[in-house]
Amino acid sequence: MELEPGTPVFLEEVVALASQYIGRTVRATGTLHSYSPKTDRAALVDGQSLLLIDTKLLGVHQYHIGQTYQLIGVVVASSQEDHEELPKDLLEDVRYSLDIVLQARVVREVDGLDMAIYRKSVVLLRAFLQDEIKTAGANPV
C-alpha cells in the first residue's frame, strides 16, 4: 500500500468545500483547541475555521492545547459521534463542517511557525506547481 503525500491546505478551504475533500490526503496546520483521549478526537483551529481530527491512528502522543500542530491524513465522512465532539465554546465563533473529519496518520508540533509566512509559502508553492504543469504540458518529453 502506497501512502500519498499530504497536499498543504488551509482549514478554511477544507471547511468551505468539505465534500470535495473527502478521500483526499491533506496536510493541515493549526492551533490545537481541544483533545479527548477517551474518544481520540481533537479540534484544530486556524483563524475562524475549525477542523475535527481523528487521532486514533497516531498512537500515544502528548498533546498541548494552544500549540501549533501539522497533521497529515485523509479527509473522511464524519459520523454522528463526531458531531458530539465539536467544542461547544467555539461553535458560534468559527466555521466548521459536520460532514468531515481528518483521519490523521502523522502529527508534528510546529510551535513557533510563522503562520503568515507559511501561508505565503503555500500560495507560492501552488503557483509554482501550476506553472510547472503548464510548462510540462506545453513541452512533452
Side-chain angles (χ1 to χ4, degrees):
M1 180 176 127
E2 188 173 320
L3 295 176
E4 294 180 29
T7 303
V9 295
F10 302 125
L11 296 188
E12 62 265 18
E13 296 169 333
V14 178
V15 169
L17 304 170
S19 62
Q20 294 178 21
Y21 279 92
I22 292 177
R24 291 181 54 189
T25 302
V26 300
R27 180 180 355 145
T29 307
T31 302
L32 185 67
H33 177 270
S34 61
Y35 170 66
S36 170
K38 180 180 173 186
T39 60
D40 286 320
R41 292 291 188 268
L44 199 65
V45 177
D46 182 30
Q48 297 296 311
S49 299
L50 177 139
L51 182 61
L52 199 58
I53 312 293
D54 177 347
T55 62
K56 69 179 166 241
L57 297 177
L58 298 175
V60 177
H61 186 82
Q62 186 173 5
Y63 296 97
H64 302 282
I65 305 301
Q67 291 194 321
T68 306
Y69 288 90
Q70 195 165 67
L71 300 109
I72 299 174
V74 178
V75 178
V76 297
S78 67
S79 65
Q80 184 61 37
E81 294 84 40
D82 294 323
H83 301 177
E84 297 165 9
E85 291 299 319
L86 287 167
K88 309 296 185 250
D89 61 327
L90 275 184
L91 294 184
E92 293 179 11
D93 300 329
V94 297
R95 294 184 60 200
Y96 57 93
S97 174
L98 294 175
D99 300 330
I100 58 168
V101 172
L102 178 64
Q103 192 171 48
R105 67 170 188 255
V106 176
V107 62
R108 70 179 180 156
E109 189 176 315
V110 290
D111 230 20
L113 177 68
D114 185 322
M115 288 300 287
I117 292 174
Y118 175 74
R119 283 178 165 277
K120 287 179 185 178
S121 71
V122 169
V123 170
L124 290 172
L125 174 65
R126 290 175 178 177
F128 172 77
L129 292 175
Q130 282 293 340
D131 190 44
E132 285 295 304
I133 291 169
K134 287 178 188 174
T135 303
N139 303 320
V141 176

